[in-house]
Amino acid sequence: MKDLKELKKIEQFADQCMKCGFCSFFCPVYQEERVETSVARGKNYLVKQILAGKQEWTPVMADIIGRCLLCKRCAANCPAKTQIDRVVVAARAELVREKGLGAIKNFVFRKVMANRPALGRYARLMQKFQWMMPRTEGKIRHLPDFVKNLGKRNFPELAKTFLRDQVKPVYKPQNGQKPIMRVGFFTGCATDFVYPDFGLKFIDFLTRHGVEVVVPDTQNCCGAAIYFSGDFETGRMLADLNVKAFKDLNVDYIVTTCATCSSTLKDYQKYLPDNEEQKQRYEEFEKKVKDSMEFVIDILKIKPEDFKLKKEFEGKTVTWHDPCHLVRYQNIKDQPRAILKALKGIKYVEMPNADLCCGMGGSFSVYHYDLTKKIAGKKMDGIKATGADIVVTACPGCMINLEDNVLLNKMPQKVHHLLELVE
Amino acid sequence: MLKESLISEFQKIVGKDNVLTSPEALKAYSYDGTTSWVHEPDVVVFPTTTDQVSQIMKIANAEKIPVTPRGGGTNVSGGSVPWQGGIVLAMTRMNKIIKVDKENLTATVEPGVVLQDLTLQLMKDRLFFPPDPQSFLGATLGGIISENAGGPACVKYGVTKQYILGIEVVLPNGEVVHLGGRTLKNVVGYDLLHIFISAEGTLGVITKAELKLNPIPAAKKTLCVVYDDMAVAGEGVFHVLESGVIPDKIEFMDNWVINRIEEMMQLGLPKEADALLLFEVDGIPEAVEKEVEQITEITKKYGAKEVRVAKDADEALAYWKGRSAGFAAVFGKAKTVFAEDVTVPRGNIPKLINRCKELAKKYNVEIVVLGHAGDGNLHPAILTDINNKDHYDRALKAMDEIIESAVEFGGVLSGEHGIGLEKQKFMKKVTEPAVINMMKGIKALIDPNNIMNPGKIWE
Ligand SMILES: Cc1cc2nc3c(=O)[nH]c(=O)nc-3n(C[C@H](O)[C@H](O)[C@H](O)COP(=O)(O)OP(=O)(O)OC[C@H]3O[C@@H](n4cnc5c(N)ncnc54)[C@H](O)[C@@H]3O)c2cc1C
Ligand code: SF4
Ligand code: SF4
């Protein structure tokens, strides 16, 4: 008899669905496929069938549970407040418990991503050989055919020097005065490997505002792609390592410039705990985690009008993309808009459907690249409608996908993290 | 089980990606918006053109395979559940808005268009399709026509059937016919169009529709009127209408619903009120102002405790958001909910409300009321639990009596949700045998092999 341990934990959420079908309007995957198995209602129903012992973990079932961006558009708009994200994540965890991870994911998650030095080594290896990949104009490289079966998506160009190789363990405030607070910087993989300059710039920004910054080299990948794929075992291991990495540093906050990382760190307590002790530990940790967008406005209390635009962005028209992990996972949407609206020297235009998922969905884009492109296509339509020169956001994950699709669609826009725009 | 050879014929017609046979997919097409009706089809087919529908129907008719059309699957009567298996014809991929004709105020749409998508498109031309079932985020035009759906705005604007000028239908034998037309007036023989509207997919497959549109009114205002006694609130409805004001919406919610909504979204609704009426008036700005004054005056004269006029669009939107969250509040609070759809002539609303109160006492069950008071379509809901036999049986009895009472007060058992499977037993009770026979006769004429959505309505 299967214990269905992970699913039992979320049974109450699955039971909340009353089958109204409203989620179909919001689900980016359903909007493309228009089939009931793609929408939250259908997924939820099938998961309940598993709980009732009427459905097995067939390959088709695994595919259905995989067809979810975890964008939370369904949950955010569900009148019954059904938390489909939790249902899907728990279902994936149950699937992994029963069927294992599969060879590729097993290797990538457990041998590479879960091990900081190994991840660095593999990234360096890719960095060396990336010249072999055909290049688009931006940061994206097409995977050569022989690795295409790993997934069809293009790959971001890796930086020459990773952030981890340039960063110091501690940065003092630049004015030489006593720090107003001490903050741990969680770099995140994308900033580490693809956007290291931006990482350094953020440290510079913090120290100029009187903050002492520590960057522990024992931090690891946040684990989003891993635990959202159902590998709770590795997910818990990474969670424990990250909690430990910041534990004795005596920091007031743990800050990151990656929306996915901040939400992932905050949500360890929601998705992962296997016992009370773990739950409490993750909850303690969550209290300190802040995304850069809320940190600069709510904690540092910088007034929106006090941000200063960098010269190079003078006169540009700018639009904002809400990362799912910011707007729905953390309810952060006003802070970035406040900054952009107050920033002198640019014109801010709100795009239609600013909170629409960009289509990345972590490893979703690896397995369903065609769907990702279609979903991103709708995002691109929104961007085009604004006539903006620059798309700003606050998640390197979104940035990679937005850059990819801007190029694919031969559009002129540049993509930036909001904090890249300011001095 | 269907023959393998048939599956491959369907695949030839609509393409491989548009035919689903996996057990998982069949499960996902076994339900609709109801809690209790579930049956799997043998295959799910997604047509994308009228011709494909016609080819599929020809095969189904020759092989006598049941066919159940399905739109958004949001109906709450078991209508799109394939009760005898066979084919589910999923219309969701026929979802093009073919044309919006601004001069003639009409739109031509495919049946799988979701109402909200249509609304957003029409807004660009400052037009709207008045029927407003509250399931607009999921309901398709095909389903809306087939259930003759209506919503709050029907007080002033009426229901779906008043806005359908013509349809294209594939008959069970595969023949394509066009009923109605593109004009407002049309008396060419029997009005067959209206037999297909509210037929719940039992006569044919709607593949195109010509809709009548209205321009969006220039102004709108919302009032929230508070009452100490729900029966007095019920009277408020007809006092306002009698006075000559026709609001576009009049919605009712009782104390229980108000409190659940407040728990969910903190709108500042008066928690101690026995009931609320929400009014919306729309039209020319000056007229709207006058109507607001008049409603305030009349409701106060007839026992309202307080009248709150929404000061801006945001406050108005908050009230309506609360109203549309109402049903979620109900469903979220009990394992099983009987959401009734009885409709009575407006003058009898207070009687029906009082009867619900008595029945709640008599059977010791919770009966809550929220609904479209403006058209007498209240939705009394009984909260129960299918696993608690004693309670469930009492709830069933209470439901029977609510329906009997509605009929006693000159009403009908379904205002907008249709019969499907859920209301069959009451349909038989309250409909004259000759009327049922006429329906059966029409069905036999159009669908002699009884393949279209069999097992529904009077069966
Ligand atoms: C939360 C909630 C609120 C609701 N509020 C309202 C409301 O305010 N007013 C109201 O009237 N209803 C309401 N409903 C009921 C429901 O949404 C309506 O009946 C709606 O019209 C169904 O549309 P659908 O596309 O989901 O159709 P489905 O549920 O898929 O099908 C409904 C019926 O139409 C048939 N059908 C579908 N498409 C076609 C076609 N192309 N050709 C022939 N037959 C077809 C089906 O066989 C079935 O019998 C509500 C439902 C829910 C869940
Ligand atoms: S919107 Fe929520 S309650 Fe409605 S079907 Fe989707 S998940 Fe279920
Ligand atoms: S999380 Fe996003 S992709 Fe997944 S079911 Fe919900 S709306 Fe669809």
Side-chain angles (χ1 to χ4, degrees):
Chain A
M1 191 55 203
K2 289 176 231 160
D3 66 357
L4 298 177
K5 187 178 84 181
E6 296 299 343
L7 280 185
K8 288 268 164 59
K9 290 186 203 162
I10 54 83
E11 190 163 11
Q12 47 172 335
F13 303 122
D15 277 344
Q16 259 169 297
C17 172
M18 52 172 184
K19 304 215 243 76
C20 69
F22 291 8
C23 40
S24 60
F25 190 76
F26 300 98
C27 176
V29 183
Y30 178 85
Q31 284 296 320
E32 296 306 329
E33 303 191 312
R34 307 195 84 78
V35 54
E36 187 71 23
T37 47
S38 287
V39 74
R41 176 172 67 170
K43 288 174 183 135
N44 195 66
Y45 182 82
L46 289 168
V47 169
K48 283 175 73 168
Q49 293 280 300
I50 289 187
L51 272 161
K54 294 179 187 159
Q55 172 67 44
E56 292 295 318
W57 283 115
T58 57
V60 176
M61 186 66 206
D63 178 67
I64 289 169
I65 280 306
R67 274 172 201 270
C68 174
L69 296 155
L70 291 173
C71 70
K72 262 195 173 174
R73 298 243 309 165
C74 53
N77 291 287
C78 170
K81 305 243 182 310
T82 314
Q83 301 186 42
I84 294 292
D85 52 311
R86 301 185 76 160
V87 174
V88 168
V89 173
R92 290 178 181 177
E94 206 59 68
L95 175 66
V96 170
R97 288 180 75 221
E98 189 169 317
K99 299 274 180 202
L101 257 183
I104 294 179
K105 277 193 186 169
N106 197 22
F107 175 72
V108 176
F109 290 177
R110 297 195 169 157
K111 298 281 177 329
V112 182
M113 291 176 76
N115 178 319
R116 182 175 154 100
L119 183 52
R121 271 200 310 279
Y122 278 98
R124 247 168 238 127
L125 204 67
M126 301 227 359
Q127 181 191 45
K128 278 214 186 93
F129 289 103
Q130 63 182 353
W131 57 268
M132 287 168 58
M133 305 180 197
R135 186 167 207 261
T136 55
E137 300 96 278
K139 283 201 178 295
I140 313 295
R141 287 188 183 263
H142 303 290
L143 286 178
D145 283 340
F146 64 90
V147 285
K148 269 216 171 128
N149 51 4
L150 248 174
K152 286 204 204 94
R153 64 165 298 112
N154 297 338
F155 207 81
E157 178 170 303
L158 298 177
K160 288 201 182 64
T161 319
F162 298 156
L163 182 60
R164 59 174 64 192
D165 299 328
Q166 335 176 23
V167 83
K168 293 191 299 186
V170 185
Y171 292 82
K172 293 283 177 203
Q174 291 182 22
N175 55 13
Q177 291 185 350
K178 211 165 141 275
I180 52 168
M181 63 179 83
R182 187 172 150 93
V183 155
F185 180 31
F186 186 88
T187 58
C189 301
T191 307
D192 191 357
F193 301 135
V194 186
Y195 304 106
D197 294 347
F198 171 57
L200 291 173
K201 198 193 159 291
F202 181 62
I203 296 173
D204 175 65
F205 179 91
L206 292 178
T207 51
R208 264 191 293 119
H209 285 85
V211 178
E212 177 174 338
V213 182
V214 286
V215 194
D217 66 356
T218 46
Q219 60 179 296
N220 274 272
C221 162
C222 70
I226 293 169
Y227 78 70
F228 283 141
S229 295
D231 184 0
F232 278 17
E233 202 184 304
T234 317
R236 283 180 191 125
M237 189 191 93
L238 286 173
D240 290 341
L241 285 172
N242 284 328
V243 171
K244 200 164 151 229
F246 289 91
K247 190 162 183 295
D248 299 320
L249 293 179
N250 204 13
V251 292
D252 301 299
Y253 297 101
I254 299 157
V255 182
T256 170
T257 48
C258 170
T260 304
C261 292
S262 54
S263 101
T264 302
L265 301 179
K266 284 181 182 179
D267 284 347
Y268 286 158
Q269 43 84 29
K270 193 172 184 184
Y271 297 99
L272 290 179
D274 210 17
N275 54 52
E276 236 354 88
E277 184 275 326
Q278 225 167 21
K279 190 166 164 45
Q280 278 176 13
R281 203 147 38 87
Y282 295 164
E283 277 171 359
E284 261 328 288
F285 182 66
E286 181 215 351
K287 288 183 198 148
K288 288 198 171 170
V289 178
K290 297 284 167 204
D291 185 83
S292 57
M293 289 293 102
E294 60 182 331
F295 184 74
V296 295
I297 296 283
D298 304 341
I299 309 290
L300 281 185
K301 305 223 182 288
I302 305 177
K303 291 203 194 83
E305 58 274 19
D306 288 347
F307 285 90
K308 268 188 48 211
L309 186 70
K310 268 202 197 148
K311 266 251 151 1
E312 57 184 292
F313 299 109
E314 206 78 55
K316 302 280 188 210
T317 302
V318 173
T319 190
W320 165 258
H321 160 70
D322 284 303
C324 302
H325 280 276
L326 209 55
V327 61
R328 280 177 294 276
Y329 281 70
Q330 305 184 66
N331 195 25
I332 297 174
K333 53 180 190 296
D334 298 335
Q335 297 91 328
R337 286 184 172 79
I339 300 175
L340 289 170
K341 283 178 188 162
L343 209 53
K344 276 181 216 77
I346 56 159
K347 183 172 155 217
Y348 174 69
V349 189
E350 177 87 12
M351 75 168 89
N353 278 326
D355 75 339
L356 193 69
C357 177
C358 70
M360 175 87 162
S363 53
F364 178 94
S365 62
V366 177
Y367 294 93
H368 306 289
Y369 188 49
D370 287 340
L371 267 172
T372 288
K373 276 193 291 191
K374 283 189 198 157
I375 295 166
K378 295 210 169 126
K379 189 89 238 178
M380 295 302 124
D381 291 343
I383 294 172
K384 279 181 203 157
T386 61
D389 308 302
I390 298 172
V391 186
V392 283
T393 187
C395 177
C398 298
M399 285 162 65
I400 290 172
N401 198 46
L402 291 172
E403 285 184 15
D404 189 12
N405 282 281
V406 161
L407 290 172
L408 278 172
N409 288 280
K410 303 200 165 46
M411 289 159 59
Q413 281 80 9
K414 295 274 175 278
V415 181
H416 287 288
H417 192 289
L418 193 153
L419 293 177
E420 287 182 281
L421 261 57
V422 298
E423 289 286 353
Chain B
M1 270 298 282
L2 295 184
K3 285 184 284 185
E4 274 302 313
S5 60
L6 284 177
I7 303 288
S8 58
E9 275 191 62
F10 295 145
Q11 286 175 343
K12 261 184 238 145
I13 297 169
V14 295
K16 257 203 156 91
D17 288 347
N18 286 324
V19 178
L20 304 179
T21 52
S22 75
E24 292 79 5
L26 301 183
K27 283 195 178 101
Y29 282 88
S30 68
Y31 56 77
D32 59 9
T34 50
T35 32
S36 28
W37 306 96
V38 175
H39 196 285
E40 287 175 25
D42 297 302
V43 61
V44 184
V45 183
F46 294 80
T48 49
T49 65
T50 304
D51 184 54
Q52 290 177 353
V53 176
S54 164
Q55 291 184 52
I56 294 161
M57 291 312 299
K58 280 182 191 148
I59 298 174
N61 201 35
E63 302 279 336
K64 301 199 173 42
I65 307 165
V67 177
T68 304
R70 185 186 193 271
T74 68
N75 80 90
V76 279
S77 52
S80 54
V81 174
W83 201 233
Q84 298 181 6
I87 303 167
V88 159
L89 216 50
M91 306 306 287
T92 46
R93 291 178 183 168
M94 272 180 91
N95 67 330
K96 280 197 280 300
I97 299 171
I98 299 168
K99 188 176 175 195
V100 178
D101 183 339
K102 285 181 259 182
E103 259 164 47
N104 291 302
L105 299 182
T106 61
T108 316
V109 298
E110 289 188 338
V113 170
V114 171
L115 180 53
Q116 181 70 356
D117 286 322
L118 177 69
T119 303
L120 292 177
Q121 177 67 36
L122 294 178
M123 253 160 66
K124 294 180 187 161
D125 293 317
R126 296 206 51 78
L127 296 171
F128 79 116
F129 177 68
D132 59 341
Q134 292 302 286
S135 48
F136 51 82
L137 293 168
T140 64
L141 266 304
I144 288 168
I145 296 169
S146 300
E147 299 283 0
N148 191 17
C154 100
V155 190
K156 180 170 177 179
Y157 293 104
V159 295
T160 300
K161 68 178 175 192
Q162 278 122 344
Y163 295 88
I164 307 301
L165 297 172
I167 53 174
E168 176 183 86
V169 185
V170 178
L171 298 176
N173 65 8
E175 214 172 315
V176 182
V177 296
H178 297 85
L179 304 172
R182 298 193 53 210
T183 55
L184 293 184
K185 291 182 170 177
N186 188 336
V187 284
V188 191
Y190 290 164
D191 189 355
L192 296 177
L193 168 63
H194 283 90
I195 293 181
F196 280 79
I197 297 175
S198 79
E200 301 186 30
T202 60
L203 295 179
V205 187
I206 298 168
T207 45
K208 209 185 277 174
E210 192 72 23
L211 315 175
K212 180 164 109 71
L213 311 173
N214 277 10
I216 295 179
K220 267 185 193 175
K221 278 236 144 149
T222 294
L223 298 89
C224 170
V225 184
V226 185
Y227 288 90
D228 282 336
D229 178 341
M230 38 179 193
V232 177
E235 287 165 16
V237 175
F238 55 80
H239 287 307
V240 166
L241 292 167
E242 241 171 24
S243 81
V245 179
I246 309 283
D248 62 309
K249 297 176 188 167
I250 312 177
E251 294 290 299
F252 176 97
M253 49 183 110
D254 71 6
N255 176 277
W256 188 93
V257 177
I258 296 168
N259 280 282
R260 294 299 88 70
I261 293 174
E262 268 305 297
E263 280 165 20
M264 279 165 65
M265 44 210 301
Q266 296 86 42
L267 298 174
L269 298 176
K271 287 191 237 177
E272 60 309 322
D274 196 40
L276 281 187
L277 288 179
L278 277 186
F279 290 89
E280 185 182 85
V281 283
D282 67 358
I284 297 166
E286 294 78 14
V288 165
E289 288 305 327
K290 273 261 173 285
E291 288 180 335
V292 168
E293 278 168 31
Q294 191 164 334
I295 294 173
T296 309
E297 196 180 303
I298 301 275
T299 49
K300 279 199 173 148
K301 181 169 159 200
Y302 290 102
K305 205 177 107 192
E306 187 194 341
V307 179
R308 302 180 181 180
V309 181
K311 53 182 181 311
D312 53 26
D314 284 346
E315 189 182 340
L317 189 72
Y319 285 128
W320 291 107
K321 263 200 171 154
R323 165 61 188 92
S324 59
F327 71 88
V330 177
F331 279 87
K333 286 290 162 185
K335 269 259 177 247
T336 314
V337 177
F338 297 137
E340 278 318 313
D341 181 34
V342 289
T343 304
V344 293
R346 281 189 285 244
N348 285 341
I349 292 174
K351 276 193 195 160
L352 184 67
I353 292 175
N354 282 329
R355 182 63 61 84
C356 287
K357 276 191 195 166
E358 288 160 29
L359 291 172
K361 279 214 192 86
K362 178 172 167 192
Y363 290 107
N364 189 24
V365 290
E366 185 108 55
I367 302 180
V368 304
V369 186
L370 83 163
H372 319 307
D375 53 31
N377 186 196
L378 294 175
H379 291 291
I382 309 176
L383 310 188
T384 182
D385 177 357
I386 196 160
N387 300 320
N388 179 344
K389 189 163 174 351
D390 171 57
H391 195 278
Y392 188 75
D393 288 346
R394 279 183 280 129
L396 273 178
K397 285 197 191 121
M399 178 167 84
D400 282 7
E401 278 203 47
I402 290 178
I403 290 173
E404 278 159 21
S405 307
V407 175
E408 178 194 327
F409 300 144
V412 294
L413 73 113
S414 176
E416 55 183 27
H417 294 167
I419 303 300
L421 296 162
E422 184 114 348
K423 298 284 179 340
Q424 282 175 326
K425 102 177 172 202
F426 300 108
M427 164 106 182
K428 279 182 206 148
K429 244 196 234 170
V430 301
T431 316
E432 290 160 337
V435 172
I436 292 194
N437 280 335
M438 229 179 334
M439 290 189 193
K440 284 184 179 169
I442 292 169
K443 167 81 170 166
L445 179 75
I446 299 174
D447 182 18
N449 292 326
N450 192 24
I451 59 164
M452 282 307 303
N453 204 359
K456 305 287 169 70
I457 308 189
W458 56 77
E459 284 189 51

